[in-house]
Amino acid sequence: MYRINILCSTVLATALCAPAALAHHGWSEYDATKPLNLAGTIVESGYTQPHGYVLLQSADKRWHVVLAPPSRMEGRGLAQEALAAGAKVTVYGYPHRSKLDELRAERITVGDKTTELR
């Protein structure tokens, strides 16, 4: 009976962790040979796992910008409140190879503070 409980617990834990693992993407989807420096206004932001994000309205396009995990941003001094809608930011990063409106940020500048995200 003890072995069955252990087996069931292991199977349940694996099943619960699998969706999170599948949802995480590899960085090879982004083209590091074509860095972009975007300036714009935050329309929306999320301080979520596995990565934060901002929807950035640049002069000509709206971008989905993938940021670092919240714990890393917080540890480097980028508080959730700094990513409020309406904030003017500059983001340096790499475009997604197939999603033409997505960028993986290496660094973000809010006001006069630059935060390295990787």
Side-chain angles (χ1 to χ4, degrees), residues 83-105:
L83 301 176
K88 305 286 187 201
V89 300
T90 302
V91 180
Y92 174 86
Y94 307 120
H96 196 281
R97 293 181 190 277
S98 61
K99 297 176 186 173
L100 302 179
D101 64 344
E102 186 169 305
L103 181 88
R104 180 192 103 192

Side-chain angles (χ1 to χ4, degrees), residues 30-37 92-97 103:
Y30 298 90
D31 191 347
T33 68
K34 298 179 182 173
L36 296 175
N37 203 29
Y92 174 86
Y94 307 120
H96 196 281
R97 293 181 190 277
L103 181 88

Side-chain angles (χ1 to χ4, degrees), residues 4-91:
I4 292 173
N5 285 341
I6 295 293
L7 178 62
C8 288
S9 296
T10 302
V11 169
L12 179 61
T14 302
L16 291 174
C17 292
L22 291 173
H24 193 271
H25 48 83
W27 293 130
S28 65
E29 297 174 10
Y30 298 90
D31 191 347
T33 68
K34 298 179 182 173
L36 296 175
N37 203 29
L38 303 175
T41 304
I42 294 176
V43 175
E44 176 185 316
S45 67
Y47 220 71
T48 58
Q49 294 292 348
H51 302 281
Y53 73 92
V54 295
L55 293 182
L56 180 70
Q57 183 63 54
S58 69
D60 60 344
K61 186 174 180 177
R62 184 168 289 184
W63 291 86
H64 176 83
V65 180
V66 179
L67 303 173
S71 60
R72 184 177 309 153
M73 292 189 289
E74 190 74 33
R76 294 185 180 173
L78 182 61
Q80 182 174 1
E81 298 76 31
L83 301 176
K88 305 286 187 201
V89 300
T90 302
V91 180

